[in-house]
Amino acid sequence: MSNILSPGKTIGILGGGQLGRMMAIAAKAMGFRIAVLEPKTDSPAGQAADIEVEAAYDDREGAKELAKHCDVLTYEFENIDAPTAAFLEETLYLPQGGSLLYTTQHRIREKNAIEEAGVHVSPYRSVDSKVSLNHALEELGRPAVLKTCQGGYDGKGQVVIKEDTNAGKAFETLNGNEKDLVLESWVPFEKEISVIVTRSTNGEISTFPVGENIHENNILHQTIVPARITSGTEKKARDIAYQLAEKLELTGTLAVEMFVLEDGDIYVNELAPRPHNSGHYTIEACETSQFEQHIRAICGWPLGSTNLLKPVVMTNLLGQHLSYVYDNVESFSKNGHLHVYGKDEAKHGRKMGHWTVLGTDIEEALTKTNYVWEKQTSLINK
């Protein structure tokens, strides 16, 4: 058994975004203190912290300063370079380690690891030149998706190559001469789903209910739980997440994004080694939230129950939605649970908060959501 971190100790969070904020809120409720390292003060996580260390993520002196204050370290985003992750492992107690970070930071490494774990991914080819891209297109066919291997989120860092797309221009758009690229076969999926899985320092594993994800403009718009899939598909999805957690020797939280094909087969699309946007519904809808579960996992506590209390719809609130939400707080708060992240600037497409609506069944939750949301869609999306 690993040592159990008791209340009163300090948890360090690398990164000051909304995931760190919600981690901090969960940890504070459990009796922990919070220290946050972020390049600027008054970040979303910093607002909920006891201590703010203002430093770049790869600032060794900043990491040493954080180490003075915290008993365990976690992170809220995965784009930490490998040397920094190794340094943090040596300097602080980082139960999640740097190995899974290294794997998930590069799409080719990630896909190789998923396949080695015995799980399907969509067919793919590594691309390092226009010639190799053309060869890959000959093998995989069109349409296909060309992506940067590192970085990229919410649709950034990728180009869909259709029949009339100039492949050479797509290569140049993604700066292929300087960046590793991967070409992925287009998957004719029926649904996009995700599973949040947690593995503790003691090896205990739990999965949350499967979420059905609706994207708009390549940004997650809504997560619907329980996902509208068969019980067989649900079991398969949770088994895949469990299998990956074991094979990858996960500690902490892993979000597994998947495609469900028409024949019921499942391909894993991406992994994120941290709490995830599609798991925000767990705060109100599950016995234990993904954030409390993550804190339990890294502190050596027994994992909590992940039972779903009620069907739920979680809707992301972007920069262009925020003024309408503020003008209609009564309606949003009457029908659901409003979360606003405390970011300093509401930019178009930037995630500024989320809104969770519960119901006796999915139809009721969707009806309540749509009553508030769709009524003003034309205004909100201007």
Side-chain angles (χ1 to χ4, degrees):
M1 289 280 289
S2 298
N3 290 332
I4 293 178
L5 201 67
S6 59
K9 300 293 186 180
T10 300
I11 297 171
I13 301 176
L14 190 65
Q18 66 264 25
L19 298 177
R21 178 191 184 93
M22 288 180 274
M23 273 187 214
I25 291 169
K28 298 271 278 188
M30 298 161 71
F32 293 103
R33 295 184 181 278
I34 298 295
V36 169
L37 186 148
E38 170 72 13
K40 62 180 180 179
T41 58
D42 199 42
S43 64
Q47 293 165 15
D50 300 280
I51 299 163
E52 292 182 84
V53 176
E54 187 178 1
Y57 305 128
D58 59 355
D59 184 331
R60 301 297 169 89
E61 292 306 311
K64 289 176 183 177
E65 179 64 25
L66 187 66
K68 293 178 186 176
H69 301 287
C70 67
D71 300 286
V72 63
L73 178 68
T74 186
Y75 50 81
E76 63 124 27
F77 70 107
E78 60 267 42
N79 293 321
I80 309 161
D81 62 69
T84 298
F87 174 77
L88 291 169
E89 275 191 274
E90 293 169 6
T91 310
L92 301 95
Y93 174 43
L94 180 65
Q96 292 155 279
S99 177
L100 188 54
L101 266 178
Y102 177 76
T103 298
T104 56
Q105 281 173 343
H106 194 281
R107 293 184 193 276
I108 298 291
R109 289 198 297 265
E110 180 177 274
K111 290 176 184 298
N112 288 341
I114 293 168
E115 288 185 314
E116 287 171 7
V119 175
H120 291 160
V121 297
S122 58
Y124 65 96
R125 297 289 185 274
S126 178
V127 170
D128 58 11
S129 66
K130 291 181 181 180
V131 172
S132 65
L133 174 57
N134 287 329
H135 286 321
L137 285 167
E138 288 173 9
E139 293 177 351
L140 299 181
R142 299 182 185 221
V145 187
L146 186 65
K147 298 180 179 180
T148 56
C149 285
Q150 292 183 277
Y153 62 95
D154 290 344
K156 298 177 177 67
Q158 61 180 265
V159 176
V160 177
I161 299 181
K162 303 176 183 177
E163 290 298 334
D164 59 350
T165 302
N166 184 310
K169 284 187 177 179
F171 182 86
E172 291 169 4
T173 297
L174 296 181
N175 201 13
N177 288 319
E178 297 182 14
K179 295 183 178 180
D180 293 340
L181 303 180
V182 60
L183 185 75
E184 298 177 8
S185 180
W186 183 266
V187 177
F189 60 86
E190 194 174 68
K191 286 188 187 295
E192 292 184 73
I193 61 173
S194 59
V195 178
I196 310 295
V197 58
T198 314
R199 182 172 180 267
S200 76
T201 55
N202 301 317
E204 183 185 2
I205 299 176
S206 72
T207 58
F208 284 92
V210 182
E212 175 184 344
N213 297 324
I214 311 296
H215 288 80
E216 290 185 358
N217 301 316
N218 294 310
I219 300 174
L220 181 64
H221 170 53
Q222 286 182 334
T223 297
I224 299 168
V225 186
R228 294 169 292 184
I229 53 178
T230 66
S231 58
T233 300
E234 178 191 5
K235 182 180 185 305
K236 189 185 295 185
R238 292 179 87 151
D239 286 349
I240 285 171
Y242 194 103
Q243 184 174 338
L244 287 170
E246 279 196 316
K247 296 288 186 182
L248 298 175
E249 298 182 344
L250 169 72
T251 298
T253 303
L254 181 72
V256 186
E257 298 181 65
M258 313 179 199
F259 294 137
V260 179
L261 279 60
E262 194 173 345
D263 62 4
D265 198 6
I266 293 177
Y267 285 170
V268 169
N269 179 35
E270 288 184 358
L271 305 178
R274 51 167 171 76
H276 192 257
N277 191 177
S278 66
H280 291 351
Y281 75 89
T282 61
I283 297 173
E284 282 87 22
C286 291
E287 286 191 42
T288 308
S289 76
Q290 67 166 340
F291 300 102
E292 179 184 335
Q293 196 80 309
H294 180 74
I295 298 301
R296 284 171 171 263
I298 64 169
C299 292
W301 290 25
L303 298 182
S305 168
T306 59
N307 287 342
L308 187 70
L309 301 175
K310 270 191 166 185
V312 57
V313 176
M314 186 283 298
T315 303
N316 269 327
L317 306 176
L318 307 181
Q320 63 268 32
H321 305 145
L322 212 56
S323 62
Y324 177 74
V325 172
Y326 284 1
D327 289 343
N328 294 273
V329 165
E330 183 179 2
S331 186
F332 277 90
S333 58
K334 179 180 178 181
N335 289 279
H337 302 267
L338 187 61
H339 297 255
V340 178
Y341 303 146
K343 293 184 178 180
D344 57 359
E345 187 178 356
K347 297 178 183 177
H348 190 97
R350 188 184 193 192
K351 293 170 184 170
M352 302 299 294
H354 69 269
W355 179 50
T356 306
V357 176
L358 305 175
T360 54
D361 52 35
I362 283 298
E363 287 69 28
E364 183 187 8
L366 281 168
T367 298
K368 287 166 69 177
T369 299
N370 293 339
Y371 172 76
V372 177
W373 191 259
E374 292 187 352
K375 212 161 96 168
Q376 297 295 337
T377 295
S378 60
L379 289 176
I380 290 173
N381 288 331
K382 278 185 179 178

